[in-house]
């Protein structure tokens, strides 16, 4: 799963990206080149399971982030978004929009203001106009095609693009629409920006950290279907990441921070992608596996290895909460909480699975 990091110049994209990767990001090849890196998803449950089973290895679920340059401060719609910018975002599963909410005279805002709501509106307008241009072009082609061929398949696509056009003309993102399976298949090839889930990240000042939740509530209008808001101070997160663990704890205590805001951001990214985690445990390895909500046990087994999906027999299942509460697999079994589930069982967030298979 991949998330594209975008934002206006001097919004904090580079600071956030390098902090996420603990300063191991590679230099971009050119001005418009994207940088990518894989980040572990923090999960306290995996930490506790590791303490319980003391395995040789612990493996977190991961998310890939892609820092994409090219979103500049010109007036929306005057030049359109650069082709390379759009190409870089074509394959990402969601967008992380970095929004500046801090003052810094050494790094002037490209639009000569610090107004995070106006920046969000600006960026949303850029994305919307980009999508509308693609939709209008395809819509006109389909109209001519339907008049010529009267093909039913083309008629259905035309009807879909008419709905898309109306939505965008009303200045509403495509992510707020519902599509059936056939429509989703058509749209997959287009990778519209406003159809992608979006996380708005407010890059606040250090002095604003104690009021972070209150600030986020001021942006509740931007929370909706497949859209979320969070906040952090990228500079403070960078400082925390550079400290040793004990020093970082003291530093956070002084600021009244329970955990790095970066952890919250990564978890929100994970949730925005519609992902949950199940676990496998044992002496060799404790591991968190990402799957889509609604995935059945057989498909989940395939995430571990294709052979497990092909030869799936049963999934021995217990929930993390029950295991932690009772303290052992044996105790869970005695209480009837260690169950055997079939291939159609829908895996829940926090399930611990042991796949029985035969290939």
């Amino acid at each position: 799963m991949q998330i594209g990091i975008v934002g206006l110049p001097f919004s904090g994209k580079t600071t956030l990206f390098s902090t996420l990767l603990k300063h191991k990001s590679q230099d971009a090849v050119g001005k418009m080149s994207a940088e990518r890196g894989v980040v572990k998803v923090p999960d306290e449950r995996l930490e506790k399971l590791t303490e319980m089973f003391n395995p040789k290895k612990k493996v977190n679920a991961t998310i890939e982030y892609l820092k994409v340059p090219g979103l500049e401060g010109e007036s929306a719609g005057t030049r359109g978004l650069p082709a390379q910018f759009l190409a870089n975002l074509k394959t990402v599963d969601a967008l992380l929009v970095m929004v500046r909410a801090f003052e810094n005279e050494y790094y002037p805002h490209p639009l000569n203001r610090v107004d995070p709501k106006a920046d969000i509106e600006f960026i949303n307008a850029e994305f919307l106009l980009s999508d509308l241009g693609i939709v209008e072009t395809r819509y006109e082609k389909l109209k001519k095609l339907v008049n010529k061929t009267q093909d039913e398949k083309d008629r259905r696509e035309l009807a879909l693009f008419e709905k898309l056009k109306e939505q965008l003309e009303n200045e509403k993102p495509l992510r707020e629409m519902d599509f059936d399976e056939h429509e989703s298949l058509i749209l997959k090839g287009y990778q519209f920006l406003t159809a992608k889930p979006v996380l708005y990240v407010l890059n606040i000042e250090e002095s604003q950290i104690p009021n972070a939740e209150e600030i986020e509530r001021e942006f509740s209008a931007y929370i909706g279907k497949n859209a979320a808001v969070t906040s952090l101070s990228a500079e403070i997160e960078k400082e925390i990441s550079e400290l040793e663990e004990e020093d970082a704890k003291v530093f956070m205590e002084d600021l009244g921070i329970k955990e790095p805001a970066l952890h919250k951001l990564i978890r929100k990214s994970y949730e925005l992608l519609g992902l949950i985690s199940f676990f496998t445990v044992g002496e060799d390895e404790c591991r968190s596996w990402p799957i889509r909500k609604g995935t059945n046990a057989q498909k989940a087994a395939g995430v571990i290895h294709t052979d497990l999906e092909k030869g799936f027999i049963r999934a021995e299942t217990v929930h993390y909460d029950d295991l932690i509460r009772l303290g052992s697999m044996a105790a869970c079994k005695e209480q009837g909480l260690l169950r055997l589930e079939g291939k159609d069982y829908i895996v829940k967030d926090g399930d611990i699975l042991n796949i029985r298979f035969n290939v």
Side-chain angles (χ1 to χ4, degrees):
M1 292 293 173
Q2 193 178 75
I3 294 181
I5 301 175
V6 299
L8 294 173
F10 305 127
S11 59
K13 300 187 302 293
T14 300
T15 303
L16 175 71
F17 183 75
S18 63
T19 305
L20 279 165
L21 268 69
K22 295 192 181 295
H23 315 286
K24 293 179 183 176
S25 61
Q26 297 179 346
D27 291 333
V29 177
K31 188 180 178 184
M32 290 301 293
S33 297
E35 296 178 76
R36 67 185 68 231
V38 176
V39 176
K40 292 179 181 179
V41 178
D43 195 325
E44 285 185 15
R45 298 172 300 181
L46 183 61
E47 302 301 322
K48 288 186 178 178
L49 290 171
T50 302
E51 288 175 15
M52 180 179 285
F53 288 90
N54 194 27
K56 295 172 186 173
K57 189 165 64 169
K58 177 191 75 172
V59 184
N60 291 67
T62 60
I63 296 176
E64 185 176 26
Y65 286 92
L66 187 74
K67 181 170 76 75
V68 181
L71 186 59
E72 302 301 332
E74 290 86 2
S75 298
T78 55
R79 295 192 316 172
L81 294 170
Q84 187 59 53
F85 176 83
L86 294 171
N88 284 330
L89 288 180
K90 192 169 178 64
T91 57
V92 303
D93 300 288
L95 300 172
L96 187 160
V97 177
M98 199 69 173
V99 184
R100 178 170 173 170
F102 64 89
E103 298 278 357
N104 189 320
E105 61 183 15
Y106 298 107
Y107 297 99
H109 191 288
L111 297 173
N112 298 313
R113 67 179 186 215
V114 175
D115 186 341
K117 288 184 180 179
D119 285 357
I120 291 174
E121 295 295 341
F122 174 88
I123 293 167
N124 285 346
E126 288 276 10
F127 291 169
L128 192 143
L129 286 167
S130 174
D131 285 355
L132 184 58
I134 297 167
V135 167
E136 286 178 334
T137 301
R138 181 60 180 161
Y139 176 73
E140 292 303 321
K141 283 183 181 178
L142 284 166
K143 270 206 306 186
K144 292 175 184 176
L145 198 62
V146 168
N147 287 336
K148 187 177 179 181
T149 67
Q150 300 297 312
D151 184 81
E152 186 57 34
K153 182 183 173 185
D154 291 334
R155 280 183 187 278
R156 289 200 301 271
E157 189 172 345
L158 177 62
L160 170 60
F161 271 77
E162 194 166 6
K163 287 194 295 184
L164 301 182
K165 186 168 172 284
E166 183 181 354
Q167 177 81 352
L168 293 169
E169 286 175 343
N170 287 327
E171 300 182 2
K172 295 178 180 178
L174 301 182
R175 74 179 66 88
E176 293 180 356
M177 299 180 73
D178 292 316
F179 303 106
D180 61 31
E181 192 175 339
H182 175 72
E183 290 172 332
S184 297
L185 201 60
I186 294 172
L187 295 177
K188 194 174 182 181
Y190 291 93
Q191 292 291 327
F192 292 117
L193 295 180
T194 68
K196 296 178 186 290
V198 60
L199 176 61
Y200 299 105
V201 180
L202 307 170
N203 190 2
I204 60 177
E205 309 215 20
E206 178 183 341
S207 61
Q208 295 175 300
I209 291 173
N211 304 319
E213 290 185 7
E214 185 181 327
I215 291 168
E216 289 170 23
R217 282 196 292 272
E218 292 175 15
F219 290 78
S220 59
Y222 299 103
I223 300 171
K225 185 178 179 183
N226 295 321
V229 173
T230 191
S231 64
L232 52 72
S233 168
E235 284 297 330
I236 292 298
E237 293 300 312
K238 179 184 174 185
E239 287 185 45
I240 292 170
S241 73
E242 290 171 342
L243 294 170
E244 296 295 331
E245 189 175 344
E246 287 304 314
D247 293 334
K249 283 180 181 177
V250 172
F251 183 58
M252 287 191 292
E253 282 174 10
D254 289 343
L255 289 170
I257 301 172
K258 291 181 180 178
E259 69 166 347
L262 215 57
H263 289 185
K264 180 182 171 186
L265 179 147
I266 296 168
R267 287 197 298 269
K268 274 189 174 283
S269 301
Y270 198 70
E271 291 166 9
L272 197 64
L273 290 168
L275 299 175
I276 61 171
S277 295
F278 74 89
F279 303 99
T280 52
V281 297
E283 293 179 1
D284 289 331
E285 178 185 274
C286 283
R287 184 165 185 155
S288 173
W289 300 90
I291 55 170
R292 294 272 188 191
K293 287 178 186 174
T295 300
N296 66 35
Q298 186 172 20
K299 291 290 182 186
V303 174
I304 302 172
H305 198 284
T306 51
D307 284 351
L308 273 66
E309 182 176 359
K310 289 175 185 174
F312 183 91
I313 300 171
R314 287 280 186 276
E316 194 175 47
T317 310
V318 66
H319 196 271
Y320 166 84
D321 291 341
D322 293 325
L323 177 60
I324 294 299
R325 179 169 53 85
L326 295 177
S328 71
M329 287 290 190
C332 289
K333 190 172 184 179
E334 285 176 17
Q335 295 287 326
L337 296 170
L338 187 63
R339 315 175 310 277
L340 287 176
E341 300 286 0
K343 62 181 182 180
D344 294 326
Y345 169 72
I346 301 301
V347 178
K348 297 179 181 63
D349 184 45
D351 273 351
I352 298 164
L353 302 183
N354 178 33
I355 307 299
R356 296 185 181 181
F357 72 107
N358 183 28
V359 176

